[in-house]
């Protein structure tokens, strides 16, 4: 039958189109299905290098806040198993740098093959799930040959770029781009020197930091209380709003807290594989100024509510909603931060109907809706 | 001294005595403190019982509503109350003893008016007193039971509407109270420097750490070594980094 044959042909075509569409949609969960194997290997090598190589260098950081680009230079020293220190060159060194990535006190042996937060797999999975990874050629960065890897959106535009040292696998440069192709953040080594390690990793860690930059630096560690899924459910039942996902492809990768009771604060770390976004939640409310500034953030009116935003540098937003204060800090493109913030409770409005809506929300949450 | 009034006292209070009998009873009351006290108590009791009959104004209101509806429907006006003449003077001013007999008012809920069985008047005088009365227009009189029963669905709908509005008002009021800004939540000032440091530490833990925020981070707390102000990064207007050159 010609009609039946035509109908079957149309049906097959539709099924084929449906299959093709689902295979390229980022939300389809086909993580890394179209990734370039070489590119993924390069990223994995960079992760291993960060956990195994010691280095000192100077990095140039750049940040685009939507209107202008700001840049600065920092000195970086990294010692696997001990930490990373960052300092401004003009501080003269030894004035006290910030040591991060340090969870063990000096002198204690560590297994540097296991990163402290075990974020590697999580973030790489997110990166491959949200973007398509592809090799994008070779380049020279800081006088060293490097392979370039690109993370592409579903429309083919670049969302992030990585330059990985051919010789060591170290990440020499990286960029995050916004939807319009502008570089939102970048970091690049303008000088780098590998630090040879004596003996095995535990001996190196036990021997202490080799760099002068570590001298007098303050060790800083993440908040101590890690919140598991059960902890977050308990807090959620108590009225906290700790979403697992935020708009803009951000997924919760870690939750920590400090303090207790009314003084408790929760730090939620989200990532899309490229950028890190922090949400701090604490019970309380902001002083209803409506104007002026709080903690250096400027008050702006958005949809009848007051939101405090940072005008320069890192994206910062702060607002009160439902008896909690939310603070967002992110090193990510502006549109990503705005989208992610929209997934959190909306700022408390000041009008009658805003109050009514807020009341119904609270009543619903009290009865478990 | 004459005999006490006895059962005539109740008839006097109910206004069911004839003129002559009433005059005699009043004369007796003027000299008999016991009967005067009993008459006062009976009158007080009757007043209280009438006080229970509060739905009467609402019935009147509904009757007028029914009349209006009937007029709108081009129907003949509601017939006068089925009670005997004189029984439809609710709301009028009455002299002492001229109020309707006890039990003649409508029960709560608008049931049909009933007259309690009473003994026959002691005299042949007309059964009703002739005191001044306020004449109520026909359209304001209570409708008959049958008319009211016909309009019962109207009142039912109105009752549902009133109930719905009440529920909505209570819900809005509750939401308004619950929607207060923060309720009893304390005023806080988020420690942004601590937050920035925590964010920087966590972000630097990423396997492929990116550039941290360019906002200065001050962690020169009392336990900071050397008391130095340590800055992760700082703002500036420098140029963007040179792009990598192709190999």
């Amino acid at each position: 039958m010609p009609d039946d044959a035509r109908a079957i042909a149309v049906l097959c075509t539709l099924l084929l189109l449906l299959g093709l569409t689902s295979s390229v949609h980022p939300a389809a969960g086909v993580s890394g299905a179209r990734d370039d194997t070489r590119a993924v290997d390069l990223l994995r090598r960079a992760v291993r290098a960060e956990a195994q190589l010691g280095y000192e260098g100077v990095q140039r950081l750049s940040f685009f806040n939507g209107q202008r680009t700001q840049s600065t230079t920092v000195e970086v020293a990294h010692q696997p198993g001990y930490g990373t220190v960052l300092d401004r060159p003009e501080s003269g060194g030894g004035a006290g740098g910030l040591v991060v990535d340090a969870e063990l006190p000096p002198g204690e042996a560590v297994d540097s093959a296991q990163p402290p937060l075990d974020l590697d797999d999580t973030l790489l999975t997110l990166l491959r799930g949200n973007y398509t990874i592809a090799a994008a050629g070779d380049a020279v960065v800081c006088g060293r040959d490097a392979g370039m890897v690109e993370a592409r959106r579903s429309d083919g535009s670049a969302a992030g770029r990585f330059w990985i040292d051919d010789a060591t696998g170290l990440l020499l440069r990286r960029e995050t781009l916004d939807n319009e192709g502008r570089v939102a953040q970048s970091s690049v080594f303008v000088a780098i020197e590998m630090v040879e390690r004596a003996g095995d990793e535990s001996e190196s860690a036990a021997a202490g930091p080799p760099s002068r930059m570590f001298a007098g630096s303050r060790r800083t560690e993440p908040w101590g209380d890690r919140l598991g899924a059960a902890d977050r459910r308990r807090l959620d039942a108590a009225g906290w709003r700790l979403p697992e996902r935020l708009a803009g492809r951000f997924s919760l990768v870690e939750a920590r807290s400090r303090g207790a009771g009314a003084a408790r604060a929760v730090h939620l770390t989200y990532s899309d594989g490229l950028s890190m976004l922090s949400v701090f939640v604490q019970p309380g409310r902001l002083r209803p100024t409506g104007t002026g500034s709080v903690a250096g953030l400027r008050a702006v009116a958005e949809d009848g509510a007051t939101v405090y935003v940072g005008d320069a540098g890192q994206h910062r937003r702060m607002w009160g909603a439902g008896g909690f204060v939310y603070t967002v800090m992110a090193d990510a493109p502006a549109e990503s931060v705005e989208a992610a913030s929209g997934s959190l409770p909306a700022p408390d409005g000041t009008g009658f109907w805003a109050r009514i809506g807020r009341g119904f929300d609270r009543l619903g949450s009290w009865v478990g809706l | 001294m004459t005999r006490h009034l006895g059962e005539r006292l109740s008839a006097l209070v109910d206004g069911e005595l004839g003129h002559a009998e009433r005059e005699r009873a009043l004369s007796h009351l003027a000299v008999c403190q016991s009967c005067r006290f009993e008459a006062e108590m009976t009158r007080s009791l009757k007043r209280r019982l009438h006080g229970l009959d509060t739905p009467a104004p609402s019935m009147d209101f509904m009757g007028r509503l029914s009349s209006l509806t009937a007029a709108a429907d081009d129907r003949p006006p509601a017939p006068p109350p089925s009670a005997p003449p004189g029984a439809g003077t609710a709301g009028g001013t009455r002299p002492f003893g001229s109020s309707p007999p006890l039990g003649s008012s409508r029960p709560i809920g608008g049931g049909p008016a009933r007259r309690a069985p009473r003994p026959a008047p002691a005299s042949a005088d007309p059964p009703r007193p002739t005191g001044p009365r306020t004449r109520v227009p026909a359209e304001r009189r209570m409708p008959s039971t049958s008319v009211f029963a016909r309009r019962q669905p109207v009142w039912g709908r109105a009752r549902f509407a009133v109930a719905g509005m009440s529920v909505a008002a209570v819900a809005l009021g509750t939401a308004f109270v619950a929607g207060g800004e923060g309720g009893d939540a304390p005023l806080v000032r988020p420690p942004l420097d601590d937050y920035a440091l925590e964010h920087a530490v966590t972000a630097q833990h990423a396997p492929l750490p990116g550039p941290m925020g360019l906002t200065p981070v001050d962690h020169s707390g009392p336990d900071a070594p050397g008391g130095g102000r340590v800055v992760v990064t700082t703002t500036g207007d420098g140029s963007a980094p040179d792009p990598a050159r192709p190999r």
Side-chain angles (χ1 to χ4, degrees):
Chain A
M1 297 262 182
D3 289 343
D4 290 345
R6 192 179 304 117
I8 292 173
V10 170
L11 181 61
C12 290
T13 305
L14 288 176
L15 288 175
L16 181 62
L17 287 174
L18 181 63
L20 288 175
T21 305
S22 63
S23 69
V24 299
H25 196 278
V30 190
S31 174
R34 303 188 327 132
D35 288 345
D36 186 328
T37 305
R38 177 173 174 265
V40 174
D41 288 344
L42 279 175
L43 289 180
R44 286 187 173 139
R45 189 178 177 216
V47 172
R48 286 197 302 272
E50 189 72 20
Q52 294 172 351
L53 286 177
Y55 57 84
E56 291 183 25
V58 177
Q59 267 190 335
R60 186 81 173 164
L61 308 179
S62 180
F63 185 93
F64 179 67
N65 66 358
Q67 296 177 343
R68 65 189 181 119
T69 298
Q70 299 173 311
S71 299
T72 189
T73 302
V74 295
E75 286 184 348
V76 183
H78 177 71
Q79 175 66 27
Y82 188 82
T84 304
V85 62
L86 305 168
D87 203 358
R88 287 187 307 172
E90 54 266 36
S91 69
L98 173 64
V99 178
V100 296
D101 196 18
E103 288 210 328
L104 293 175
E108 288 195 14
V110 296
D111 180 4
S112 61
Q114 295 295 325
L117 295 186
D118 297 328
L119 291 180
D120 297 10
D121 288 340
T122 303
L123 295 186
L124 281 181
T125 302
L126 283 173
L127 182 64
R128 298 183 62 190
N130 289 325
Y131 304 98
T132 300
I133 309 301
D138 300 314
V140 175
V141 178
C142 195
R144 304 174 71 94
D145 293 337
M148 182 178 168
V149 174
E150 218 169 55
R152 295 170 181 158
R153 301 184 183 90
S154 56
D155 61 0
S157 62
R161 296 191 183 108
F162 305 89
W163 285 262
I164 297 162
D165 186 25
D166 282 348
T168 62
L170 196 67
L171 180 66
L172 297 176
R173 178 182 179 178
R174 62 165 290 165
E175 290 178 346
T176 305
L177 298 94
D178 61 18
N179 287 334
E180 299 181 16
R182 297 173 298 196
V183 177
Q185 283 96 28
S186 73
S187 64
V188 57
F189 277 104
V190 295
I192 188 168
E193 179 182 353
M194 301 301 163
V195 177
E196 296 296 331
R197 307 169 62 186
D200 60 22
E201 295 164 358
S202 27
E203 288 177 356
S204 173
S211 172
R212 58 175 176 78
M213 289 179 58
F214 284 91
S217 297
R218 179 189 181 192
R219 301 180 67 85
T220 305
E221 300 175 4
W223 292 355
D225 299 332
R226 300 185 73 165
L227 298 177
D231 300 320
R232 294 199 302 275
R233 279 195 296 273
R234 275 195 295 274
L235 288 175
D236 190 74
W240 295 66
R241 290 292 168 265
L242 313 174
E244 294 282 336
R245 290 180 177 277
L246 301 179
R249 312 178 186 189
F250 283 96
S251 299
L252 181 66
V253 294
E254 192 181 53
R256 292 175 177 267
S257 78
R258 72 174 182 184
R264 184 169 209 162
V266 170
H267 175 205
L268 305 170
T269 303
Y270 296 89
S271 178
D272 63 346
L274 278 176
S275 304
M276 304 290 280
L277 183 145
S278 289
V279 177
F280 297 89
V281 188
Q282 68 178 122
R285 57 193 171 98
L286 296 170
R287 188 176 298 280
T289 56
T291 58
S293 63
V294 171
L297 302 184
R298 182 173 53 90
V300 296
E302 292 185 3
D303 298 330
T306 302
V307 178
Y308 297 87
V309 299
D311 285 328
Q314 185 181 58
H315 286 293
R316 293 183 176 184
R317 293 173 63 86
M318 182 173 68
W319 69 91
F324 290 86
V325 175
Y326 297 83
T327 305
V328 172
M329 293 183 175
D331 304 307
E335 67 259 18
S336 300
V337 180
E338 286 185 16
S341 300
S343 301
L344 295 167
D348 288 337
T350 55
F352 172 79
W353 291 112
R355 179 168 177 166
I356 292 293
R358 189 164 61 241
F360 278 122
D361 286 344
R362 286 182 191 163
L363 292 173
S365 68
W366 292 342
V367 299
L369 297 179
Chain B
M1 184 172 178
T2 58
R3 292 171 52 207
H4 290 303
L5 293 176
E7 290 187 1
R8 287 179 299 159
L9 186 61
S10 176
L12 172 67
V13 172
D14 289 340
E16 294 180 342
L17 291 181
H19 181 70
E21 189 69 15
R22 180 167 170 268
E23 288 300 324
R24 281 195 294 274
L26 290 177
S27 299
H28 176 78
L29 283 182
V31 297
C32 180
Q33 185 177 0
S34 171
C35 286
R36 197 165 55 242
F37 175 78
E38 191 173 350
E40 191 61 34
M41 292 300 294
T42 305
R43 236 174 19 198
S44 172
L45 175 61
K46 184 180 178 183
R47 239 183 269 120
R48 289 191 180 187
L49 291 175
H50 270 287
L52 295 176
D53 198 15
T54 48
S58 298
M59 295 301 107
D60 186 39
F61 175 66
M62 289 309 302
R64 278 181 283 154
L65 278 181
S66 299
S67 300
L68 291 175
T69 309
D73 291 343
D74 292 326
R75 292 177 182 172
S82 58
T89 56
T93 56
R94 300 167 186 271
F96 173 74
S98 63
S99 57
L102 189 62
S104 64
S105 61
R106 290 170 300 283
I108 298 175
R114 289 174 298 158
R115 178 180 289 273
R118 308 291 302 176
S123 70
D125 290 340
R128 304 303 304 173
T130 57
R133 296 181 179 180
T134 302
R135 187 166 184 83
V136 179
E139 63 272 16
R140 296 188 60 187
R141 293 176 190 163
M142 287 301 300
S144 68
T145 303
S146 58
V147 171
F148 181 73
R150 195 166 63 239
R151 300 301 170 195
Q152 188 69 27
V154 176
W155 168 232
R157 284 194 294 271
R159 189 164 49 192
F160 285 132
V162 170
M165 291 172 61
S166 302
V167 169
V170 169
L172 284 176
T174 306
F176 186 82
V177 172
E181 291 187 9
D184 55 352
L187 288 173
V188 296
R189 185 184 177 89
L192 292 191
D193 285 339
D194 286 350
Y195 286 176
L197 195 60
E198 168 73 3
H199 170 72
V201 170
T202 307
Q204 194 63 23
H205 273 139
L208 301 171
M212 289 192 289
L214 302 183
T215 304
V217 176
D218 181 5
H219 63 100
S220 56
D223 56 342
R229 172 184 164 87
V230 182
V231 178
V232 176
T233 61
T234 183
T235 56
D237 291 324
S239 58
D242 296 331
R245 55 186 170 83
R247 228 187 291 176

